[in-house]
Amino acid sequence: QKEVEQDPGPLSVPEGAIVSLNCTYSNSAFQYFMWYRQYSRKGPELLMYTYSSGNKEDGRFTAQVDKSSKYISLFIRDSQPSDSATYLCAMRKTGANNLFFGTGTRLTVIP
Amino acid sequence: EAGVAQSPRYKIIEKRQSVAFWCNPISGHATLYWYQQILGQGPKLLIQFQNNGVVDDSQLPKDRFSAERLKGVDSTLKIQPAKLEDSAVYLCASSLESRGADTQYFGPGTRLTVL
């Protein structure tokens, strides 16, 4: 069993839709949760970062962590064509640097 | 601020050949990482350096992969000999520190194709 599971998609939505991306994990030692966005032929860039459980909002993006269910989510409101990319969840344990990534979900926002 | 630089961007080699990748991290970043990203998968950590010392190389296939970070700045990752399954994007990342909530900044990657 992989430590981090993510539906690879692909996911296609019309412009303006609300997008929900999710990951599940098995290791309860994970405390730091991140979402990276990766455009084609580019390296991942950090989009959202959350420590432990709770919600975090940044503009059109909201990250949620539910540690009791070992489930994290990223919501994108009013999606734009420029949001078309692969979204990777990542997580790590306290005091460690090794990031454990999901497989990534490929998102296309259709104008 | 300049980002993480990597070269070459693309490389095609035949199996059993050797190849080397280069990474220049963001200035002042003490920690440097090499990741392997196989098509359709998330990045997997190969090795982590803190300055010029190795912190974690538990997932580095040491029979064929080697990496060094001389003078605690630039780094090279080498594969010798390459196998078909080494075809992937090799990502370099750097961070200011090595613990806690520090952000890792990724380079554009080197796409390796082994024929």
Side-chain angles (χ1 to χ4, degrees):
Chain A
Q1 181 191 10
K2 290 182 181 178
E3 293 203 73
V4 181
E5 299 277 0
Q6 183 176 8
D7 186 341
L11 182 62
S12 291
V13 300
E15 183 175 355
I18 296 174
V19 176
S20 173
L21 304 167
N22 311 292
C23 287
T24 59
Y25 62 97
S26 57
N27 194 331
S28 57
F30 289 132
Q31 295 286 336
Y32 296 88
F33 303 92
M34 287 140 275
W35 286 94
Y36 281 82
R37 178 174 61 193
Q38 186 173 24
Y39 290 113
S40 182
R41 309 284 181 178
K42 302 286 188 182
E45 58 177 333
L46 183 65
L47 196 59
M48 297 285 286
Y49 158 82
T50 310
Y51 172 69
S52 195
S53 284
N55 295 356
K56 186 173 185 178
E57 189 173 319
D58 184 2
R60 296 185 294 110
F61 298 89
T62 300
Q64 288 185 351
V65 175
D66 181 350
K67 291 193 68 182
S68 62
S69 301
K70 296 188 177 67
Y71 188 86
I72 70 171
S73 301
L74 177 71
F75 297 95
I76 307 174
R77 292 182 299 281
D78 187 25
S79 56
Q80 302 295 309
S82 58
D83 295 328
S84 297
T86 296
Y87 290 80
L88 296 151
C89 64
M91 46 199 79
R92 67 178 169 199
K93 307 166 191 174
T94 300
N97 277 87
N98 190 3
L99 289 178
F100 290 83
F101 283 88
T103 55
T105 300
R106 187 173 174 182
L107 171 69
T108 301
V109 181
I110 303 166
Chain B
E1 178 183 74
V4 176
Q6 290 188 247
S7 67
R9 292 295 312 275
Y10 305 91
K11 190 73 177 179
I12 300 174
I13 61 172
E14 301 207 342
K15 60 183 179 183
R16 291 188 288 274
Q17 286 187 323
S18 63
V19 64
F21 314 127
W22 174 82
C23 172
N24 180 239
I26 293 174
S27 177
H29 280 196
T31 309
L32 185 147
Y33 314 79
W34 283 102
Y35 288 87
Q36 180 192 56
Q37 187 175 22
I38 293 172
L39 185 66
Q41 298 183 20
K44 182 185 81 171
L45 180 70
L46 292 176
I47 188 167
Q48 176 189 342
F49 291 94
Q50 175 72 12
N51 295 310
N52 61 348
V54 175
V55 174
D56 183 355
D57 63 356
S58 57
Q59 298 195 83
L60 186 74
K62 298 179 186 63
D63 57 334
R64 298 183 301 105
F65 286 65
S66 64
E68 61 181 6
R69 190 184 185 197
L70 300 176
K71 300 180 182 177
V73 182
D74 293 4
S75 177
T76 56
L77 176 70
K78 297 178 182 178
I79 307 175
Q80 181 180 13
K83 293 185 175 181
L84 296 176
E85 59 261 36
D86 298 331
S87 294
V89 175
Y90 290 85
L91 294 163
C92 179
S94 70
S95 63
L96 196 58
E97 296 293 340
S98 64
R99 290 179 176 271
D102 197 36
T103 298
Q104 295 185 24
Y105 296 88
F106 285 82
T110 296
R111 184 176 298 270
L112 174 67
T113 302
V114 182
L115 303 175

